Amino acid sequence: MGLLVVGSIALDSVETPFGRADDALGGSAVFFGAAGALLHPVQMVGVVGRDYPMAKLQRLAERGIDLRGVTVCDGESFRWAGRYGFDLSTRDTLETRLGVFANFRPAIPEEFRDARYVFLGNIDPELQLEVLEQVHQPALVAFDTMNYWIQGKRTVLLRLLERIDVLMVNDSELRELSGDWHIHRAARWVLARGPKYVVVKKGEHGAVLVASSGVFYVPAFPLDDIFDPTGAGDAFAGGFMGHIARTGGLSPANLRLAMVYGSAMGSFAVERFSIQRFDEITPADVAERVRAYRDLVHFDLDADARDARG
Ligand code: AMP
């Protein structure tokens, strides 16, 4: 049951009120892979330049990420730099240097084309469509995008919507795509254009799953410390898709559980810079956090009646 991710493989330089990291491993495919591989092996497709720290990338292979789809090209790796404000909810992009990513054309290795679960990380939607042309019969395709593509390649994005199952975006992207400020109405607008599910990521306010069968909310995990929010959305996607790939279940109940795994992985991502936290944790830590979520949202509908009875 292959789990394929196509996305950016970056060197991130990030400044938060609590410190900074320079040229750290980042990019949508890397965050997705680091989180997803804790649940299920991941097949990664992307491009790096000759300057990429290959030894660090190889450590991803030791965690269950198949790197046969990663091409090394002459030139510089994709670099992204950002700075977060005091409350960590606002971010300025300081630099985006495309390097070899500018000419990236995803070539899915033959061995990956039977992938059942596919995550199209935030790249040019024309390239996301090219990926779909190369995979045979996926059971579930999820995709992410950003305002830049919503503004610049809207027609292609609308074509993509007809072919994918899960749209995973943050609230501002969903508003911009639909032209509607109201999240639930906006999600229904998307559902009418093809996808079966919309996952809206709302940062510190958690995430929402909207399907024709109903709506499910999962909170952000109440952490003692948040260090660096970069990549939380891609780690969320890794948890969500990793859980589905591991279990193979697409029932509404299992999708809700996938939301909790996604949220758990997002919470691990923000506890350290880059993908460091995923080096420290094991599947048992993930399972424990998922259990903690149940305690967080569980309530007893009959508590008042029981109290009244004494
Ligand atoms: P997020 O915090 O979910 O927005 O994801 C941040 C990650 O996206 C960082 O690791 C960046 O390297 C990567 N990234 C930033 N800008 C782009 C872009 N234009 N295309 C692809 N990946 C990007």
Side-chain angles (χ1 to χ4, degrees), residues 249-287:
L250 293 172
S251 67
N254 204 41
L255 281 156
R256 287 181 173 215
L257 191 50
M259 287 290 289
V260 179
Y261 274 92
S263 204
M265 291 302 187
S267 74
F268 284 122
V270 304
E271 287 183 303
R272 299 276 187 280
F273 277 116
S274 181
I275 53 167
Q276 281 167 19
R277 190 73 176 115
F278 296 108
D279 267 335
E280 302 165 357
I281 61 171
T282 64
D285 296 313
V286 179

mmCIF file of all heavy atoms in Angstrom, residues 249-287:
data_model
loop_
_atom_site.group_PDB
_atom_site.id
_atom_site.type_symbol
_atom_site.label_atom_id
_atom_site.label_comp_id
_atom_site.label_asym_id
_atom_site.label_seq_id
_atom_site.Cartn_x
_atom_site.Cartn_y
_atom_site.Cartn_z
ATOM 1 N N GLY A 249 -8.225 2.109 5.744
ATOM 2 C CA GLY A 249 -9.654 2.360 5.948
ATOM 3 C C GLY A 249 -10.071 3.759 5.542
ATOM 4 O O GLY A 249 -9.400 4.734 5.882
ATOM 5 N N LEU A 250 -11.177 3.854 4.806
ATOM 6 C CA LEU A 250 -11.667 5.162 4.378
ATOM 7 C C LEU A 250 -13.055 5.447 4.941
ATOM 8 O O LEU A 250 -13.801 6.265 4.402
ATOM 9 C CB LEU A 250 -11.683 5.253 2.846
ATOM 10 C CG LEU A 250 -10.300 5.237 2.176
ATOM 11 C CD1 LEU A 250 -10.428 5.141 0.666
ATOM 12 C CD2 LEU A 250 -9.503 6.468 2.558
ATOM 13 N N SER A 251 -13.397 4.774 6.037
ATOM 14 C CA SER A 251 -14.714 5.028 6.642
ATOM 15 C C SER A 251 -14.690 6.414 7.296
ATOM 16 O O SER A 251 -13.625 6.919 7.658
ATOM 17 C CB SER A 251 -15.010 3.973 7.710
ATOM 18 O OG SER A 251 -14.109 4.141 8.789
ATOM 19 N N PRO A 252 -15.872 7.033 7.467
ATOM 20 C CA PRO A 252 -15.899 8.338 8.137
ATOM 21 C C PRO A 252 -15.210 8.297 9.507
ATOM 22 O O PRO A 252 -14.503 9.226 9.886
ATOM 23 C CB PRO A 252 -17.398 8.622 8.260
ATOM 24 C CG PRO A 252 -18.027 7.883 7.120
ATOM 25 C CD PRO A 252 -17.201 6.635 6.955
ATOM 26 N N ALA A 253 -15.379 7.187 10.244
ATOM 27 C CA ALA A 253 -14.775 7.104 11.582
ATOM 28 C C ALA A 253 -13.251 7.071 11.483
ATOM 29 O O ALA A 253 -12.542 7.685 12.285
ATOM 30 C CB ALA A 253 -15.292 5.865 12.299
ATOM 31 N N ASN A 254 -12.722 6.346 10.479
ATOM 32 C CA ASN A 254 -11.263 6.271 10.351
ATOM 33 C C ASN A 254 -10.684 7.601 9.872
ATOM 34 O O ASN A 254 -9.560 7.963 10.227
ATOM 35 C CB ASN A 254 -10.859 5.127 9.416
ATOM 36 C CG ASN A 254 -9.448 4.642 9.704
ATOM 37 O OD1 ASN A 254 -9.058 4.526 10.871
ATOM 38 N ND2 ASN A 254 -8.673 4.423 8.663
ATOM 39 N N LEU A 255 -11.440 8.338 9.072
ATOM 40 C CA LEU A 255 -10.975 9.661 8.648
ATOM 41 C C LEU A 255 -10.910 10.599 9.844
ATOM 42 O O LEU A 255 -10.006 11.437 9.951
ATOM 43 C CB LEU A 255 -11.886 10.221 7.561
ATOM 44 C CG LEU A 255 -11.551 9.597 6.206
ATOM 45 C CD1 LEU A 255 -12.731 9.652 5.268
ATOM 46 C CD2 LEU A 255 -10.365 10.299 5.575
ATOM 47 N N ARG A 256 -11.830 10.454 10.762
ATOM 48 C CA ARG A 256 -11.765 11.267 11.985
ATOM 49 C C ARG A 256 -10.501 10.929 12.777
ATOM 50 O O ARG A 256 -9.815 11.816 13.282
ATOM 51 C CB ARG A 256 -13.003 11.018 12.849
ATOM 52 C CG ARG A 256 -14.239 11.662 12.266
ATOM 53 C CD ARG A 256 -15.453 11.435 13.122
ATOM 54 N NE ARG A 256 -16.567 12.220 12.606
ATOM 55 C CZ ARG A 256 -17.508 12.795 13.348
ATOM 56 N NH1 ARG A 256 -17.493 12.650 14.646
ATOM 57 N NH2 ARG A 256 -18.453 13.508 12.804
ATOM 58 N N LEU A 257 -10.212 9.621 12.854
ATOM 59 C CA LEU A 257 -8.999 9.208 13.570
ATOM 60 C C LEU A 257 -7.765 9.753 12.847
ATOM 61 O O LEU A 257 -6.797 10.194 13.482
ATOM 62 C CB LEU A 257 -8.982 7.678 13.654
ATOM 63 C CG LEU A 257 -7.960 7.026 14.576
ATOM 64 C CD1 LEU A 257 -7.977 7.627 15.974
ATOM 65 C CD2 LEU A 257 -8.223 5.514 14.655
ATOM 66 N N ALA A 258 -7.811 9.747 11.518
ATOM 67 C CA ALA A 258 -6.694 10.304 10.739
ATOM 68 C C ALA A 258 -6.486 11.787 11.080
ATOM 69 O O ALA A 258 -5.355 12.268 11.144
ATOM 70 C CB ALA A 258 -6.955 10.128 9.241
ATOM 71 N N MET A 259 -7.574 12.504 11.317
ATOM 72 C CA MET A 259 -7.469 13.911 11.717
ATOM 73 C C MET A 259 -6.700 14.042 13.038
ATOM 74 O O MET A 259 -5.907 14.957 13.223
ATOM 75 C CB MET A 259 -8.866 14.520 11.898
ATOM 76 C CG MET A 259 -9.625 14.779 10.619
ATOM 77 S SD MET A 259 -8.932 16.116 9.632
ATOM 78 C CE MET A 259 -9.344 17.550 10.623
ATOM 79 N N VAL A 260 -6.948 13.100 13.938
ATOM 80 C CA VAL A 260 -6.271 13.166 15.231
ATOM 81 C C VAL A 260 -4.774 12.838 15.050
ATOM 82 O O VAL A 260 -3.906 13.507 15.626
ATOM 83 C CB VAL A 260 -6.946 12.221 16.252
ATOM 84 C CG1 VAL A 260 -6.213 12.284 17.588
ATOM 85 C CG2 VAL A 260 -8.416 12.584 16.422
ATOM 86 N N TYR A 261 -4.470 11.818 14.233
ATOM 87 C CA TYR A 261 -3.056 11.521 13.956
ATOM 88 C C TYR A 261 -2.378 12.724 13.293
ATOM 89 O O TYR A 261 -1.236 13.055 13.598
ATOM 90 C CB TYR A 261 -2.925 10.272 13.078
ATOM 91 C CG TYR A 261 -2.907 8.998 13.890
ATOM 92 C CD1 TYR A 261 -4.078 8.301 14.161
ATOM 93 C CD2 TYR A 261 -1.716 8.513 14.426
ATOM 94 C CE1 TYR A 261 -4.077 7.153 14.929
ATOM 95 C CE2 TYR A 261 -1.701 7.363 15.204
ATOM 96 C CZ TYR A 261 -2.877 6.687 15.447
ATOM 97 O OH TYR A 261 -2.864 5.555 16.230
ATOM 98 N N GLY A 262 -3.099 13.378 12.385
ATOM 99 C CA GLY A 262 -2.539 14.558 11.721
ATOM 100 C C GLY A 262 -2.235 15.646 12.729
ATOM 101 O O GLY A 262 -1.136 16.211 12.748
ATOM 102 N N SER A 263 -3.179 15.892 13.590
ATOM 103 C CA SER A 263 -3.011 16.942 14.583
ATOM 104 C C SER A 263 -1.871 16.599 15.543
ATOM 105 O O SER A 263 -1.086 17.475 15.932
ATOM 106 C CB SER A 263 -4.333 17.102 15.330
ATOM 107 O OG SER A 263 -4.426 18.371 15.870
ATOM 108 N N ALA A 264 -1.768 15.331 15.912
ATOM 109 C CA ALA A 264 -0.676 14.896 16.806
ATOM 110 C C ALA A 264 0.675 15.171 16.140
ATOM 111 O O ALA A 264 1.591 15.716 16.765
ATOM 112 C CB ALA A 264 -0.830 13.410 17.121
ATOM 113 N N MET A 265 0.790 14.832 14.861
ATOM 114 C CA MET A 265 2.076 15.048 14.160
ATOM 115 C C MET A 265 2.378 16.540 14.019
ATOM 116 O O MET A 265 3.524 16.960 14.142
ATOM 117 C CB MET A 265 2.037 14.395 12.778
ATOM 118 C CG MET A 265 2.022 12.891 12.817
ATOM 119 S SD MET A 265 3.448 12.193 13.687
ATOM 120 C CE MET A 265 3.182 10.467 13.318
ATOM 121 N N GLY A 266 1.341 17.337 13.760
ATOM 122 C CA GLY A 266 1.546 18.791 13.695
ATOM 123 C C GLY A 266 2.078 19.309 15.023
ATOM 124 O O GLY A 266 2.970 20.161 15.068
ATOM 125 N N SER A 267 1.558 18.751 16.116
ATOM 126 C CA SER A 267 1.993 19.219 17.438
ATOM 127 C C SER A 267 3.447 18.827 17.710
ATOM 128 O O SER A 267 4.190 19.576 18.336
ATOM 129 C CB SER A 267 1.059 18.698 18.532
ATOM 130 O OG SER A 267 1.260 17.324 18.783
ATOM 131 N N PHE A 268 3.874 17.649 17.239
ATOM 132 C CA PHE A 268 5.289 17.283 17.411
ATOM 133 C C PHE A 268 6.187 18.216 16.583
ATOM 134 O O PHE A 268 7.239 18.640 17.039
ATOM 135 C CB PHE A 268 5.526 15.829 16.975
ATOM 136 C CG PHE A 268 5.039 14.810 17.973
ATOM 137 C CD1 PHE A 268 4.104 13.856 17.608
ATOM 138 C CD2 PHE A 268 5.522 14.808 19.274
ATOM 139 C CE1 PHE A 268 3.643 12.916 18.520
ATOM 140 C CE2 PHE A 268 5.069 13.867 20.202
ATOM 141 C CZ PHE A 268 4.127 12.911 19.822
ATOM 142 N N ALA A 269 5.733 18.535 15.370
ATOM 143 C CA ALA A 269 6.574 19.346 14.471
ATOM 144 C C ALA A 269 6.952 20.678 15.112
ATOM 145 O O ALA A 269 8.076 21.150 14.949
ATOM 146 C CB ALA A 269 5.838 19.585 13.146
ATOM 147 N N VAL A 270 6.021 21.286 15.847
ATOM 148 C CA VAL A 270 6.266 22.643 16.351
ATOM 149 C C VAL A 270 7.074 22.658 17.649
ATOM 150 O O VAL A 270 7.430 23.718 18.153
ATOM 151 C CB VAL A 270 4.935 23.418 16.549
ATOM 152 C CG1 VAL A 270 4.137 23.436 15.251
ATOM 153 C CG2 VAL A 270 4.089 22.849 17.691
ATOM 154 N N GLU A 271 7.379 21.481 18.174
ATOM 155 C CA GLU A 271 8.120 21.443 19.444
ATOM 156 C C GLU A 271 9.625 21.659 19.287
ATOM 157 O O GLU A 271 10.335 21.841 20.284
ATOM 158 C CB GLU A 271 7.868 20.101 20.153
ATOM 159 C CG GLU A 271 6.464 20.016 20.747
ATOM 160 C CD GLU A 271 6.228 18.737 21.519
ATOM 161 O OE1 GLU A 271 6.399 17.651 20.927
ATOM 162 O OE2 GLU A 271 5.854 18.824 22.690
ATOM 163 N N ARG A 272 10.121 21.592 18.055
ATOM 164 C CA ARG A 272 11.553 21.832 17.803
ATOM 165 C C ARG A 272 11.678 22.515 16.442
ATOM 166 O O ARG A 272 10.737 22.553 15.666
ATOM 167 C CB ARG A 272 12.342 20.512 17.715
ATOM 168 C CG ARG A 272 12.332 19.667 18.932
ATOM 169 C CD ARG A 272 13.394 20.087 19.949
ATOM 170 N NE ARG A 272 13.415 19.106 21.020
ATOM 171 C CZ ARG A 272 12.539 19.079 22.041
ATOM 172 N NH1 ARG A 272 11.589 19.994 22.120
ATOM 173 N NH2 ARG A 272 12.615 18.154 22.967
ATOM 174 N N PHE A 273 12.886 22.958 16.129
ATOM 175 C CA PHE A 273 13.159 23.449 14.775
ATOM 176 C C PHE A 273 13.189 22.272 13.796
ATOM 177 O O PHE A 273 13.496 21.134 14.195
ATOM 178 C CB PHE A 273 14.522 24.141 14.724
ATOM 179 C CG PHE A 273 14.475 25.575 15.171
ATOM 180 C CD1 PHE A 273 15.151 25.999 16.299
ATOM 181 C CD2 PHE A 273 13.753 26.517 14.448
ATOM 182 C CE1 PHE A 273 15.111 27.319 16.714
ATOM 183 C CE2 PHE A 273 13.700 27.838 14.851
ATOM 184 C CZ PHE A 273 14.376 28.243 15.990
ATOM 185 N N SER A 274 12.885 22.601 12.538
ATOM 186 C CA SER A 274 13.027 21.622 11.454
ATOM 187 C C SER A 274 12.298 20.318 11.805
ATOM 188 O O SER A 274 11.217 20.352 12.393
ATOM 189 C CB SER A 274 14.530 21.413 11.187
ATOM 190 O OG SER A 274 14.765 20.510 10.139
ATOM 191 N N ILE A 275 12.888 19.176 11.439
ATOM 192 C CA ILE A 275 12.224 17.889 11.723
ATOM 193 C C ILE A 275 12.840 17.212 12.955
ATOM 194 O O ILE A 275 12.669 16.008 13.153
ATOM 195 C CB ILE A 275 12.306 16.940 10.504
ATOM 196 C CG1 ILE A 275 13.749 16.777 10.025
ATOM 197 C CG2 ILE A 275 11.413 17.432 9.371
ATOM 198 C CD1 ILE A 275 13.952 15.641 9.049
ATOM 199 N N GLN A 276 13.534 18.013 13.774
ATOM 200 C CA GLN A 276 14.276 17.431 14.908
ATOM 201 C C GLN A 276 13.421 16.545 15.821
ATOM 202 O O GLN A 276 13.858 15.493 16.284
ATOM 203 C CB GLN A 276 14.876 18.538 15.768
ATOM 204 C CG GLN A 276 16.142 19.144 15.193
ATOM 205 C CD GLN A 276 16.513 20.439 15.907
ATOM 206 O OE1 GLN A 276 16.053 20.707 17.012
ATOM 207 N NE2 GLN A 276 17.330 21.235 15.256
ATOM 208 N N ARG A 277 12.197 16.990 16.081
ATOM 209 C CA ARG A 277 11.372 16.251 17.050
ATOM 210 C C ARG A 277 11.080 14.830 16.563
ATOM 211 O O ARG A 277 10.948 13.909 17.373
ATOM 212 C CB ARG A 277 10.060 17.019 17.273
ATOM 213 C CG ARG A 277 9.230 16.509 18.392
ATOM 214 C CD ARG A 277 9.813 16.861 19.755
ATOM 215 N NE ARG A 277 8.950 16.446 20.839
ATOM 216 C CZ ARG A 277 9.270 15.510 21.734
ATOM 217 N NH1 ARG A 277 10.435 14.901 21.679
ATOM 218 N NH2 ARG A 277 8.427 15.189 22.693
ATOM 219 N N PHE A 278 11.016 14.672 15.227
ATOM 220 C CA PHE A 278 10.700 13.342 14.691
ATOM 221 C C PHE A 278 11.885 12.380 14.844
ATOM 222 O O PHE A 278 11.737 11.186 14.686
ATOM 223 C CB PHE A 278 10.235 13.452 13.237
ATOM 224 C CG PHE A 278 8.943 14.222 13.126
ATOM 225 C CD1 PHE A 278 8.925 15.501 12.596
ATOM 226 C CD2 PHE A 278 7.759 13.687 13.603
ATOM 227 C CE1 PHE A 278 7.737 16.227 12.523
ATOM 228 C CE2 PHE A 278 6.569 14.398 13.545
ATOM 229 C CZ PHE A 278 6.563 15.675 13.005
ATOM 230 N N ASP A 279 13.066 12.942 15.155
ATOM 231 C CA ASP A 279 14.232 12.105 15.463
ATOM 232 C C ASP A 279 14.115 11.516 16.847
ATOM 233 O O ASP A 279 14.701 10.486 17.148
ATOM 234 C CB ASP A 279 15.502 12.978 15.469
ATOM 235 C CG ASP A 279 16.182 12.975 14.125
ATOM 236 O OD1 ASP A 279 15.990 12.000 13.387
ATOM 237 O OD2 ASP A 279 16.889 13.957 13.821
ATOM 238 N N GLU A 280 13.379 12.218 17.697
ATOM 239 C CA GLU A 280 13.359 11.846 19.120
ATOM 240 C C GLU A 280 12.220 10.900 19.469
ATOM 241 O O GLU A 280 12.304 10.179 20.454
ATOM 242 C CB GLU A 280 13.207 13.112 19.978
ATOM 243 C CG GLU A 280 14.305 14.134 19.750
ATOM 244 C CD GLU A 280 13.947 15.511 20.333
ATOM 245 O OE1 GLU A 280 12.822 15.673 20.856
ATOM 246 O OE2 GLU A 280 14.777 16.410 20.252
ATOM 247 N N ILE A 281 11.137 10.950 18.682
ATOM 248 C CA ILE A 281 9.941 10.212 19.103
ATOM 249 C C ILE A 281 9.809 8.857 18.393
ATOM 250 O O ILE A 281 10.429 8.633 17.348
ATOM 251 C CB ILE A 281 8.650 11.039 18.888
ATOM 252 C CG1 ILE A 281 8.460 11.388 17.406
ATOM 253 C CG2 ILE A 281 8.659 12.283 19.761
ATOM 254 C CD1 ILE A 281 7.105 12.010 17.103
ATOM 255 N N THR A 282 9.000 7.999 18.990
ATOM 256 C CA THR A 282 8.757 6.666 18.440
ATOM 257 C C THR A 282 7.250 6.526 18.161
ATOM 258 O O THR A 282 6.462 7.355 18.638
ATOM 259 C CB THR A 282 9.142 5.587 19.473
ATOM 260 O OG1 THR A 282 8.256 5.736 20.599
ATOM 261 C CG2 THR A 282 10.590 5.728 19.928
ATOM 262 N N PRO A 283 6.856 5.483 17.441
ATOM 263 C CA PRO A 283 5.420 5.264 17.236
ATOM 264 C C PRO A 283 4.654 5.189 18.564
ATOM 265 O O PRO A 283 3.486 5.583 18.635
ATOM 266 C CB PRO A 283 5.377 3.934 16.482
ATOM 267 C CG PRO A 283 6.670 3.909 15.721
ATOM 268 C CD PRO A 283 7.674 4.540 16.637
ATOM 269 N N ALA A 284 5.315 4.727 19.624
ATOM 270 C CA ALA A 284 4.625 4.643 20.928
ATOM 271 C C ALA A 284 4.302 6.055 21.446
ATOM 272 O O ALA A 284 3.241 6.274 22.042
ATOM 273 C CB ALA A 284 5.502 3.901 21.931
ATOM 274 N N ASP A 285 5.209 7.010 21.223
ATOM 275 C CA ASP A 285 4.935 8.404 21.644
ATOM 276 C C ASP A 285 3.747 8.965 20.864
ATOM 277 O O ASP A 285 2.940 9.720 21.401
ATOM 278 C CB ASP A 285 6.159 9.293 21.398
ATOM 279 C CG ASP A 285 7.348 8.869 22.241
ATOM 280 O OD1 ASP A 285 7.149 8.642 23.444
ATOM 281 O OD2 ASP A 285 8.458 8.757 21.685
ATOM 282 N N VAL A 286 3.671 8.593 19.586
ATOM 283 C CA VAL A 286 2.569 9.078 18.758
ATOM 284 C C VAL A 286 1.255 8.508 19.301
ATOM 285 O O VAL A 286 0.267 9.229 19.500
ATOM 286 C CB VAL A 286 2.755 8.672 17.274
ATOM 287 C CG1 VAL A 286 1.592 9.167 16.431
ATOM 288 C CG2 VAL A 286 4.081 9.207 16.734
ATOM 289 N N ALA A 287 1.274 7.205 19.575
ATOM 290 C CA ALA A 287 0.053 6.547 20.083
ATOM 291 C C ALA A 287 -0.379 7.181 21.404
ATOM 292 O O ALA A 287 -1.573 7.387 21.650
ATOM 293 C CB ALA A 287 0.314 5.055 20.255
#
